Amino acid sequence: MSGCKASEGVLQQKYGADAAYFEGLRCLKNKNYSDACRYFTSAAQEGSPVIARRALKERAALEDVSARIKTYEEIYRRYKDKESRRELCEQYLKYRQPKKILDLTYGIKFEPEFSDDLYYRYEALSQCHEKIDGQSLYRWFVEFPFTERHKTFIEEHELEDEVLLFRKYVYERKYSRALNYVEKVMEGGTSPLLYSDIGKTLLYAAPDYRSAVKKLETAVIPLSDVDSCFYGWFYIGRLSSKTGDVNSAMAAFLQAMQFAQDKSKFDNALWYLLNESLKLPYTETINLIAVYAPHWHDSSYYDDFFETLSTNLLSKQLWKQYLEVTGIIDGFASQETCAKYFYVSGRLIEERYIPMSVAECKQQSEEYFKKAAGCRTNLYYLLLAGQKAGYSQKEMEEAVLDFGLKTSVKVNADAERLLEGYADYGFPEYIYDAWNKYSSEISMDCACKIALFLKQCGVNEERYCPQSLRIASRKMNYPEKKLTSQMLELAFPRNYSEEVTKCCEDFNQSEYLLYALIRSESFFDSSIQSHAGATGLTQLMDSTAGDVARKLKVKDYDLTDSSTNIRFGSFYLEELIHRIDESELRALFSYNAGITNVRKWIKTASILFGREDFSNDLFLEALPFAETREYGRKLVSAASLYGELYYGKTFAEVIRQIMN
């Protein structure tokens, strides 16, 4: 599983002093610990910063306690950052050297970003049998976000303070136990985060929501602390919503917005306000969008709200209102949301659900389709809108290569050197964790190289296939420049090609459709199992697999076996196609949500759209299950890419086949 065919001399020339780190890993793999330690020492002394740091940690793992602590002290002296300080504190704590922790954390600021450092300091004081400032400790528990550190400290020191136990139970989501402490906590004067915890506890455990609203209002109205007021009114809004009092809930969310001191709090309260307004006539919701669209901060925060609103407007046949919302959010909503509303508005006009002249219909629908195709962050709408806008295949290919939310990347050359070194020296097991740490600082070229290496390693060890795909897909969605064909092929791989080809021949199925299904269901991870109990590459439930096995006359089978799983999933999908109007898209919906549900939705849609031959793309938008809507979009997009990349199909051909 070597990453390249370069000779040792070429690698030594490329990596210089850093080569010692990778040589050390080789020795480590061969259990040659003395040479490994020697190489790591060399890399630590002369290597680039990221690799030198890793070399020191690898060496520390091979040393005795005394030497290990000295190595972590050296790391801290070199890097002087929060990570190295906390790693050193952990070593001191583990090997009971509390006085060194006190020296290291002396003068630490009492701020949330130093919460872990304060934990180590309090633990050190306890080990030294020195008095801990009770007020400081209490503030650490009630003024900072509660973490696993707080929980550990309470349990190890058997603290019985009711406020601290209250925070612990909320953190553990044991709201019924936390409810017993609410009165006591409210009596003692509270911090903003305590008000947040009180609100959560009442929301999830209060036996009577109306009484909970009154209790919280009584406590919040006299408050002067702005953040406490925000949390108080925010949870009054959520509790009022539980009582069915829409107007009171909306008034509370408006109050919370006025007290919001940062952008995320404002967006959070506004999101709840908008969702609450969906219980009122839609004119109210549309008016609120018009008022607040220019003032929200993170437009993507509202994507799920607009997804719900879209489906609701369509299900109520509010075609004109749909176009009205589209006009309001243009320039304010995320590209994801705008693409949806532009495309659907264009289709409503094209399908003549909105009365206008033939000339106006053509002009306005084309305008919307061009706008939708210009939003390059949703592949589904890009492909469908581009087709409707009259893009040629070449123009579509160029548009796809321009896909993704462009992000500026300040490349960390040392991190890229580390990742590429893992590939060049043949260490796939280290790549994914390192990628997760440095992904925002890695260029497309580097991401492409390590994803390709992991894909090659996946031939022998399946676990590397989904890692390769995750890296490529992440970079594809957030590129710093135009995509390459290689990146697309890595993001849409044909793993298990022999099994897929055999099944598609046996069941007269398009390979690109089956690849799309496997990619969407499991990301080619054969070991995956869903919370609902679906297993393997095609995510089959036991009951479905049993039925398929009976029809295929297979007595003994194992769904974790890749060949079996693909064969069963392929057969099941083809059976669904035949059972539901020979429609691939409706079969995909059935694969996700069950054929009974889909048949019921078809009947509803024929009434909604006023015709039996309604379009499947509008049918998708009107489905009541958000998961199934998104599932359909992903499958259509993936199948289109597979068809174009590997099978000589145009995007339009694949879309017509599936959407028929």
Side-chain angles (χ1 to χ4, degrees):
M1 294 196 303
S2 66
C4 71
K5 296 181 180 179
S7 67
E8 292 300 314
V10 172
L11 290 178
Q12 179 66 53
Q13 184 176 6
K14 178 178 179 179
Y15 290 97
D18 287 334
Y21 168 68
F22 301 108
E23 293 295 345
L25 291 179
R26 281 183 178 174
C27 293
L28 191 63
K29 199 168 188 176
N30 294 326
K31 299 184 179 180
N32 184 349
Y33 301 124
S34 60
D35 281 351
C37 196
R38 178 170 56 83
Y39 276 120
F40 290 142
T41 298
S42 175
Q45 291 172 347
E46 301 177 20
S48 56
V50 169
I51 288 179
R53 187 170 190 157
R54 294 223 163 195
L56 283 167
K57 289 185 181 181
E58 291 288 354
R59 190 185 74 186
L62 300 173
E63 295 173 323
D64 60 28
V65 172
S66 177
R68 183 179 307 159
I69 289 175
K70 287 181 179 179
T71 295
Y72 275 97
E73 289 172 341
E74 181 181 348
I75 293 172
Y76 179 67
R77 281 195 302 272
R78 283 197 193 188
Y79 299 98
K80 289 285 186 180
D81 55 16
K82 289 187 291 185
E83 180 184 348
S84 60
R85 183 173 62 248
R86 290 169 190 174
E87 287 172 342
L88 181 54
C89 281
E90 188 65 35
Q91 295 298 316
Y92 286 152
L93 185 66
K94 183 177 180 179
Y95 297 110
R96 301 193 70 81
Q97 297 186 21
K99 290 186 178 180
K100 289 186 176 181
I101 295 178
L102 296 179
D103 291 339
L104 190 60
T105 59
Y106 180 78
I108 285 291
K109 295 180 181 178
F110 194 84
E111 294 175 0
E113 67 173 298
F114 298 106
S115 182
D116 282 351
D117 300 270
L118 290 166
Y119 162 78
Y120 289 118
R121 185 165 185 82
Y122 295 139
E123 285 286 5
L125 288 169
S126 177
Q127 285 188 10
C128 290
H129 304 291
E130 293 188 20
K131 184 178 180 181
I132 301 175
D133 179 7
Q135 184 179 4
S136 170
L137 181 64
Y138 183 80
R139 287 181 59 204
W140 179 65
F141 275 106
V142 301
E143 294 181 12
F144 291 2
F146 200 91
T147 67
E148 197 66 23
R149 299 292 194 196
H150 294 88
K151 178 176 178 289
T152 299
F153 196 91
I154 289 172
E155 292 174 347
E156 288 185 351
H157 297 276
E158 300 180 344
L159 302 181
E160 296 294 332
D161 183 275
E162 292 177 314
V163 175
L164 307 192
L165 290 175
F166 168 73
R167 291 221 72 191
K168 175 177 175 289
Y169 292 141
V170 173
Y171 175 75
E172 296 171 332
R173 299 185 180 182
K174 297 176 180 177
Y175 297 111
S176 296
R177 298 186 72 174
L179 188 64
N180 298 322
Y181 297 91
V182 165
E183 296 285 353
K184 183 71 175 178
V185 172
M186 293 179 78
E187 287 173 7
T190 58
S191 71
L193 291 178
L194 280 175
Y195 263 105
S196 175
D197 284 355
I198 290 168
K200 288 176 190 172
T201 301
L202 294 174
L203 184 66
Y204 296 119
D208 179 6
Y209 291 125
R210 294 185 187 278
S211 297
V213 168
K214 291 179 180 178
K215 184 193 299 285
L216 205 47
E217 281 181 337
T218 301
V220 170
I221 290 173
L223 291 176
S224 58
D225 180 79
V226 175
D227 285 334
S228 295
C229 288
F230 168 81
Y231 287 118
W233 285 110
F234 177 76
Y235 281 103
I236 288 169
R238 295 192 65 184
L239 287 162
S240 297
S241 178
K242 290 283 189 180
T243 70
D245 189 343
V246 177
N247 291 327
S248 293
M250 292 178 65
F253 291 133
L254 284 168
Q255 284 275 59
M257 288 163 60
Q258 292 177 18
F259 288 110
Q261 292 295 290
D262 59 59
K263 296 174 182 179
S264 62
K265 288 178 181 175
F266 180 90
D267 282 345
N268 196 14
L270 177 55
W271 184 91
Y272 275 97
L273 174 68
L274 292 172
N275 276 278
E276 193 68 21
S277 75
L278 294 175
K279 300 173 184 176
L280 299 174
Y282 285 101
T283 52
E284 297 287 337
T285 303
I286 294 171
N287 287 338
L288 283 172
I289 295 170
V291 170
Y292 289 106
H295 303 291
W296 59 48
H297 303 94
D298 180 0
S299 58
S300 63
Y301 193 88
Y302 301 89
D303 283 348
D304 57 347
F305 161 74
F306 281 109
E307 175 76 10
T308 301
L309 177 62
S310 172
T311 307
N312 289 0
L313 291 173
L314 293 175
S315 67
K316 300 292 184 183
Q317 299 179 315
L318 297 174
W319 322 123
K320 290 184 179 179
Q321 288 88 338
Y322 200 102
L323 263 67
E324 184 180 356
V325 172
T326 302
I328 292 171
I329 65 175
D330 188 1
F332 296 112
S334 70
Q335 285 196 48
E336 190 94 0
T337 289
C338 285
K340 181 204 324 292
Y341 276 78
F342 289 149
Y343 178 76
V344 175
S345 293
R347 291 290 288 124
L348 290 174
I349 293 171
E350 188 178 48
E351 292 283 329
R352 310 307 296 274
Y353 288 108
I354 298 171
M356 59 179 64
S357 69
V358 174
E360 286 179 315
C361 173
K362 188 175 188 313
Q363 178 187 349
Q364 290 201 25
S365 62
E366 286 183 357
E367 181 180 333
Y368 278 126
F369 292 142
K370 287 178 181 177
K371 282 188 170 185
C375 299
R376 300 293 167 85
T377 60
N378 186 297
L379 198 54
Y380 173 80
Y381 293 111
L382 168 59
L383 294 172
L384 268 67
Q387 179 190 8
K388 288 288 183 180
Y391 283 19
S392 67
Q393 175 64 14
K394 185 174 182 179
E395 288 173 324
M396 289 294 295
E397 290 171 0
E398 286 298 315
V400 169
L401 291 177
D402 195 35
F403 175 77
L405 184 62
K406 299 297 185 292
T407 54
S408 59
V409 176
K410 187 177 181 180
V411 173
N412 185 334
D414 289 341
E416 289 200 341
R417 192 174 177 81
L418 174 73
L419 287 163
E420 291 188 11
Y422 286 144
D424 284 338
Y425 278 88
F427 292 109
E429 63 269 33
Y430 293 96
I431 288 179
Y432 195 64
D433 285 344
W435 156 262
N436 281 330
K437 181 172 183 176
Y438 296 110
S439 60
S440 63
E441 305 171 87
I442 302 301
S443 68
M444 186 189 301
D445 292 339
C446 178
C448 206
K449 176 172 180 175
I450 60 176
L452 178 60
F453 169 64
L454 287 172
K455 180 182 177 181
Q456 293 167 347
C457 294
V459 173
N460 296 315
E461 289 191 60
E462 288 186 5
R463 65 188 174 119
Y464 295 123
C465 290
Q467 291 180 7
S468 169
L469 179 50
R470 288 189 183 100
I471 290 172
S473 296
R474 169 73 181 176
K475 198 61 190 177
M476 175 183 167
N477 284 295
Y478 298 96
E480 76 273 11
K481 60 180 181 180
K482 279 198 170 189
L483 301 173
T484 62
S485 296
Q486 185 180 47
M487 179 58 76
L488 287 175
E489 290 172 4
L490 288 167
F492 295 90
R494 290 189 296 176
N495 303 335
Y496 307 100
S497 57
E498 291 183 9
E499 293 90 338
V500 168
T501 298
K502 179 69 166 62
C503 290
C504 289
E505 288 174 352
D506 289 348
F507 304 129
N508 191 29
Q509 197 169 75
S510 300
E511 288 188 22
Y512 46 82
L513 185 64
L514 184 54
Y515 277 122
L517 182 135
I518 296 171
R519 182 186 188 277
S520 299
E521 287 286 352
S522 65
F523 248 40
F524 294 96
D525 185 349
S526 63
S527 65
I528 197 168
Q529 186 160 14
S530 74
H531 295 300
T535 299
L537 293 167
T538 62
Q539 286 291 278
L540 290 170
M541 298 294 290
D542 287 341
S543 56
T544 302
D547 187 50
V548 170
R550 179 179 57 79
K551 292 174 181 177
L552 289 174
K553 298 180 180 180
V554 176
K555 291 185 178 180
D556 298 318
Y557 61 89
D558 178 5
L559 284 181
T560 62
D561 174 69
S562 302
S563 297
T564 301
N565 196 288
I566 292 173
R567 186 168 185 80
F568 278 28
S570 176
F571 175 87
Y572 181 52
L573 176 61
E574 195 60 26
E575 183 185 52
L576 288 172
I577 293 172
H578 295 316
R579 290 173 64 191
I580 194 155
D581 311 321
E582 297 296 326
S583 168
E584 290 183 354
L585 184 65
R586 295 180 185 184
L588 294 173
F589 293 155
S590 302
Y591 197 101
N592 177 259
I595 196 168
T596 302
N597 280 329
V598 176
R599 284 174 171 160
K600 180 175 65 178
W601 297 340
I602 290 171
K603 290 180 181 178
T604 302
S606 64
I607 298 170
L608 169 63
F609 293 112
R611 59 185 76 163
E612 293 292 331
D613 60 340
F614 54 84
S615 302
N616 270 331
D617 58 344
L618 290 178
F619 177 43
L620 180 152
E621 301 296 339
L623 294 178
F625 285 5
E627 178 188 328
T628 305
R629 293 195 298 273
E630 188 57 24
Y631 183 82
R633 294 180 190 121
K634 287 181 178 178
L635 266 293
V636 171
S637 304
S640 299
L641 263 293
Y642 275 110
E644 194 275 337
L645 286 170
Y646 304 108
Y647 299 97
K649 297 284 186 178
T650 66
F651 295 120
E653 286 173 338
V654 178
I655 290 168
R656 280 196 298 270
Q657 175 188 322
I658 297 176
M659 303 298 282
N660 182 24

